Structure formats: C-alpha cells, structure tokens
Amino acid sequence: MSYASIEFLLFVLMLVLIYYIFPKKHRYIVLLIGSLIFYYLFSGKYIIFILLSSVITYFSGKLIEKYNDKRKLILTLSILLNLSFLLVLKYNNFFGDIFRVVGINIPYKKFILPIGISYYTLETISYLTDIYRKRMKAETNYLKVLLFLVYFPQIVEGSIANYSRLSKTLFNTEKFNYDNFVSSFVLIGWGFIKKLVIADRAGIFVSKVFENNYGGILLIVGILLYTLQIYADFSGCIDIVSGVSELFGVKLDENFKRPFFSKSIQEFWRRWHITLGTWLKEYIFYPISLSKLNMKLNLKLRKMKSKYISRFIITAFPLFFVWFFNGMWHGASFKYVVYGLYYYVLMMIGILLEPVFKKIISIFKINTEVWSYKFFQAIRTILIVCFGMFLFRVDSFKQMGLMIHSNASASLFSLGLKKLDFALLMVGILVMLVVGVMQEFNISIRKELQKQNLLFKWFIYYIIIFSIIIFGIYGKGYDAASFIYGGF
C-alpha cells in the first residue's frame, strides 16, 4: 500500500472517520491501531523489530530518569541495542566487505529491511538522549512511545520526529475543522502532482539513461532530471504525509524549504532533508564538539599562531563525523560514504579559502548584494548538487567512469518520453518553480486560496484532481512508482 495510491487514501479516510468519532483523550489509540495495521501490511513479521525497539526505548527512558548515577551507562546500552537491529539488518554486508579487504572472510546474509528502520532508530536515539540531557521527562505511557515510533504518515520516508515537538499535537488533538481539512487535501494533491506528474515522468527518462550507460548530452540531461526527480519525489512524499497528518490535527516538522534557491552548499543542506540535518547537528556534531577529545584538541590548537587555521581544524573534526554518518545513513555502501564526504570536502575547502574569496571580492569590488551575483551563487550550488546526485544515482564508481567516457547515444525522444511528455514535464517544473518563488516570499498558497470565492477555490481543486488523473504516470495495474527514499 503505497502513499501514492487509492488504497492509501481510502485507508486514511476510513481512519479519519473513526478518529473523530472517538473522544479526544482516546484518539491516539485510533492512530496507534491504524499505524500498526499500516506497518504490518508493509512489513509483516518484521513488525517485531519496531516493537522491540519501542519496548527498549520505553523502559530505558524510565531507567535513565530513575537511576541518575547510572544514566550514562543505561543510555549507551539502550542506544547500542537499538542500533544493533539496524547494523545487522542493513549494514552487515558493508562491514563484511571491510573485513574481506583485510583478509577476514565473514559470511553474511542480505535481509529484507523493515520499513522506516533508519528513521525510527534515529528517533529512539533522540528520545533517550533528550531524557539523558534532562530536556524532557520520560513518557510514562508505553502506548504513546510506540505511537511516536510507528506513526504511519512518517514511518516510510520521514520526517524524523522529535518527541517533544511531535507530542504537542500527536496526543493533544483539536476538534474537526472543515477549512483545515480541505487545506490538508490541497497539500496532499500538490504532493501527488510532484510525485506522479513530475518525478515519475522524469524517472522514465533517467532510468533509460542509467540502464544504458549513455554519456554526453543525454547524461547531462539525465543528471539534471534525476536531481529534479529525487526532489519532487521526496518532497512530494513529505507533502502527502504532512497533509495526511494534518487531517488528524498532527503537525509534522518541515523537511524541505526550497533548497534550489540556496546560495551555498551549507545553505542547501539547511533546506534539504531538514530533520536529518537537525538530528545530525544535535546528536552527532554537538556531542563530538563538546567531547573531552575535542576539548583537548582545542587546547593544543590555541597555541597555534594562526587562529583561523586552529578554528578551521576544530570545526573540521566534528563535521567529518556528521558527513560520514550522513553518507552511511543513506545506504550500506562505500558509494554513500563518498557521497557524504564529497560535501564535507567541498565545505571544508570553502571554509579554508573563505579569506581568499573575500580578498578577491574586495579587489574586484564585486557587489555581493545584487541579484546577478546571487543568481550565480544559486547556479553554482545547483551544479555542485547535480554532481552529488550523479554520485548518488550510479550503482558503482565503475559505472560512473563508463558513463563519463561513454560514446553511446540515442535520440532525446527515444528514451520513453515523447515531445508531449517533455512539454508536460517542463510545465510541471515551471509550476513547481513558481510555487517555490511564492513560498520564498512568504506567500502561503493554501491560506491565500482559503480567502478566495467558493467558485474559484473549486476551480483550483478540480485542476489539481484532473492534473493527477490525466497527467500522472502509472505503471502496470495503474500503480505509482515506489518512492526513492522509501528504501532508507
């Protein structure tokens, strides 16, 4: 049951109906039962892993709070227990490859991953760490901890929830509001357009390019379309699940904020997969920055003559682990590690050469506030991101080399998309750009739409509905393609 399916929408509508029939204080039980059913339909017997994680997390949280003198030990053991499921199920082949490099042959088995394991494992760590840091109290109701982890709108592709923020609306629902209900469906509809009209259409062309190892202009077009595909696919899914969650009065954290308007790589990653970036900052960067090892390093570096270089090293040390784990989170392969470190190296070069860039700007009297310079920065960032997406998409570095040096070519319109499909794709991208510009200027399209006359509102609603039905890309049995990030 994919998020982009009629079955999912029917499931949601049935659950919404039951949800608002129940008294407020028991509504979270409806969400819990619905989420467990949804999870079981996706993962079957693998539901046992999220149940085990929830039990470990619930009791560990209470023990951390109760035994203050042993709280660090309890935190460490509970995190290791939760991580062990992820390491065995997702990374056993990766570590097996490492051991084989040094001559140790360890047999491994490829497991079917339980859905959302990368997401809910990070949530268990944030929950336990926040209790350890005394930012919040341990939850006394096990069912609420279980719902926090298994909540069905965010279990497949995120966003990565924080208990303190999510619990404010997850367990404290408001009465049914018609305007909010309709507004939620507008967001769901926009998510479907991004997924079915834009992402899946672009995906047809991209798949042909990478399956046949085409090079030259086809490779460039393929990389550009893949970058747009993964954004429309991932952000489209987030729009769908955020809209679904709003039907229940539950607010999910924002996960995308117009990343292609970014003027630097740092800004891009503050706008792309925001909840992952926030998690890495809170639970990787800060702990390493404040660790005893980093503090000792800081003391030694203070003796250096160049304060700029010393600050650079102090920043570079924890950031290495942030980007290493960012790459590892995306997949159990050296390719993904390189993907993460690609951005790390670029950021470090940018920080290291910052004084040089400032001097060049000063010498040539470059005005950094004019739109042309900002446009240049945005294009530069997009090109860097596109190469990163090329790294992300190829199956191996060998394939990357083959495609870069490939002479294989074909007609632009012979790779699954005809002229009309390309025209529709360009219109979809243009609409996505216009919506992004409006949002960048703090114009809430949904709020503005609510203010309009009933006739105009329904005209827009019908455009959304028929755009999905008529222009959406569907496979055998009228199924949508799987979401790209659903595999993580």
Side-chain angles (χ1 to χ4, degrees):
M1 182 167 55
S2 168
Y3 283 148
S5 67
I6 295 297
E7 292 90 345
F8 176 70
L9 286 180
L10 291 173
F11 170 80
V12 169
L13 288 173
M14 182 177 67
L15 196 61
V16 166
L17 180 64
I18 299 169
Y19 181 80
Y20 283 105
I21 290 172
F22 268 66
K24 284 185 180 181
K25 65 179 181 178
H26 297 309
R27 284 177 182 170
Y28 78 93
I29 301 293
V30 176
L31 282 181
L32 176 59
I33 293 170
S35 296
L36 289 171
I37 292 170
F38 178 85
Y39 197 93
Y40 183 78
L41 289 173
F42 255 106
S43 283
K45 63 183 180 182
Y46 288 95
I47 195 174
I48 188 67
F49 291 105
I50 197 168
L51 293 176
L52 284 171
S53 283
S54 65
V55 170
I56 291 166
T57 303
Y58 171 72
F59 284 107
S60 297
K62 295 188 75 176
L63 290 171
I64 289 168
E65 198 169 68
K66 184 176 180 181
Y67 297 102
N68 194 53
D69 56 330
K70 294 184 176 66
R71 49 206 287 272
K72 191 170 186 177
L73 176 63
I74 298 167
L75 174 70
T76 304
L77 290 175
S78 57
I79 288 176
L80 288 175
L81 275 171
N82 279 320
L83 275 176
S84 66
F85 301 134
L86 182 64
L87 293 175
V88 170
L89 295 174
K90 185 175 180 178
Y91 295 101
N92 72 92
N93 61 326
F94 176 77
F95 293 116
D97 290 339
I98 293 173
F99 281 116
R100 273 189 293 280
V101 169
V102 296
I104 303 171
N105 190 17
I106 298 177
Y108 67 87
K109 180 181 178 182
K110 190 171 183 180
F111 295 97
I112 298 173
L113 282 180
I115 63 162
I117 187 169
S118 295
Y119 294 96
Y120 71 71
T121 301
L122 297 191
E123 290 172 353
T124 64
I125 293 170
S126 69
Y127 174 84
L128 293 168
T129 305
D130 284 353
I131 294 170
Y132 172 81
R133 292 174 177 174
K134 299 186 178 179
R135 288 183 175 179
M136 55 174 270
K137 294 284 186 181
E139 176 56 61
T140 57
N141 185 335
Y142 164 71
L143 296 181
K144 289 186 176 182
V145 173
L146 178 57
L147 176 56
F148 163 65
L149 297 179
V150 81
Y151 183 48
F152 80 94
Q154 65 178 26
I155 193 62
V156 176
E157 292 202 39
S159 53
I160 299 166
N162 174 278
Y163 189 84
S164 296
R165 291 194 298 271
L166 186 63
S167 61
K168 290 175 183 176
T169 52
L170 188 59
F171 310 122
N172 300 287
T173 56
E174 301 296 329
K175 64 180 181 179
F176 178 82
N177 183 297
Y178 174 77
D179 288 335
N180 290 342
F181 193 78
V182 174
S183 178
S184 300
F185 269 105
V186 171
L187 184 58
I188 294 168
W190 176 233
F192 270 97
I193 288 174
K194 287 161 81 173
K195 165 63 178 167
L196 298 175
V197 179
I198 301 172
D200 287 356
R201 182 169 269 103
I204 294 170
F205 183 90
V206 171
S207 294
K208 293 287 185 181
V209 169
F210 282 86
E211 283 168 8
N212 294 283
N213 294 330
Y214 288 125
I217 189 66
L218 289 179
L219 175 58
I220 293 170
V221 175
I223 293 169
L224 287 170
L225 286 184
Y226 179 67
T227 303
L228 289 166
Q229 178 198 357
I230 199 168
Y231 171 70
D233 185 283
F234 195 8
S235 68
C237 176
I238 296 299
D239 288 340
I240 292 169
V241 300
S242 295
V244 166
S245 193
E246 285 180 15
L247 293 174
F248 302 99
V250 181
K251 181 71 174 174
L252 298 182
D253 287 336
E254 186 177 27
N255 216 26
F256 288 91
K257 199 172 183 179
R258 285 85 58 197
F260 295 110
F261 290 95
S262 304
K263 295 181 285 296
S264 68
I265 290 299
Q266 290 91 331
E267 184 183 354
F268 177 85
W269 279 97
R270 289 195 296 269
R271 290 168 173 252
W272 177 283
H273 209 338
I274 296 168
T275 54
L276 176 61
T278 301
W279 191 95
L280 289 168
K281 181 176 70 175
E282 286 286 328
Y283 305 103
I284 299 293
F285 181 79
Y286 287 151
I288 293 174
S289 296
L290 299 173
S291 66
K292 290 180 180 178
L293 177 62
N294 203 50
M295 291 299 183
K296 288 179 181 177
L297 180 63
N298 193 5
L299 288 171
K300 288 182 180 180
L301 289 171
R302 282 181 183 178
K303 298 173 184 177
M304 289 180 65
K305 290 181 179 179
S306 174
K307 299 298 179 186
Y308 182 78
I309 296 296
S310 66
R311 284 198 300 270
F312 169 80
I313 296 171
I314 286 297
T315 305
F317 180 68
L319 275 181
F320 171 82
F321 293 96
V322 167
W323 288 102
F324 177 81
F325 282 111
N326 184 307
M328 282 289 290
W329 181 87
H330 280 91
S333 165
F334 286 108
K335 177 190 80 170
Y336 292 111
V337 174
V338 173
Y339 169 75
L341 295 182
Y342 163 74
Y343 286 105
Y344 170 74
V345 170
L346 287 176
M347 286 186 184
M348 291 303 99
I349 291 172
I351 293 170
L352 191 61
L353 298 180
E354 188 178 352
V356 178
F357 296 145
K358 285 181 177 179
K359 196 166 185 178
I360 292 170
I361 288 168
S362 176
I363 291 170
F364 291 98
K365 294 180 171 56
I366 298 171
N367 187 347
T368 59
E369 297 303 315
V370 294
W371 72 266
S372 56
Y373 184 77
K374 292 177 180 178
F375 180 72
F376 159 74
Q377 288 179 302
I379 294 298
R380 178 191 62 190
T381 303
I382 288 170
L383 291 175
I384 291 170
V385 168
C386 283
F387 187 78
M389 291 302 180
F390 184 30
L391 270 172
F392 194 83
R393 179 60 177 79
V394 291
D395 295 327
S396 64
F397 297 120
K398 182 180 179 181
Q399 185 189 19
M400 175 179 273
L402 283 172
M403 295 183 77
I404 290 172
H405 297 99
S406 174
N407 294 318
S409 189
S411 168
L412 190 68
F413 303 112
S414 66
L415 301 182
L417 294 185
K418 304 299 181 185
K419 290 182 181 179
L420 179 60
D421 282 308
F422 266 106
L424 286 169
L425 183 57
M426 292 305 110
V427 170
I429 291 168
L430 181 62
V431 171
M432 197 160 61
L433 175 63
V434 170
V435 169
V437 170
M438 292 175 71
Q439 290 173 335
E440 196 70 5
F441 284 95
N442 295 317
I443 299 171
S444 174
I445 297 173
R446 290 195 289 163
K447 286 182 180 177
E448 290 298 320
L449 188 58
Q450 283 184 344
K451 298 175 186 176
Q452 307 308 311
N453 294 318
L454 189 64
L455 187 64
F456 180 78
K457 283 195 285 189
W458 276 100
F459 173 69
I460 297 298
Y461 299 156
Y462 278 120
I463 286 177
I464 293 172
I465 293 166
F466 284 108
S467 293
I468 296 166
I469 295 171
I470 297 170
F471 303 124
I473 293 293
Y474 304 94
K476 187 178 179 181
Y478 302 97
D479 295 325
S482 298
F483 285 98
I484 294 171
Y485 263 70
F488 301 111

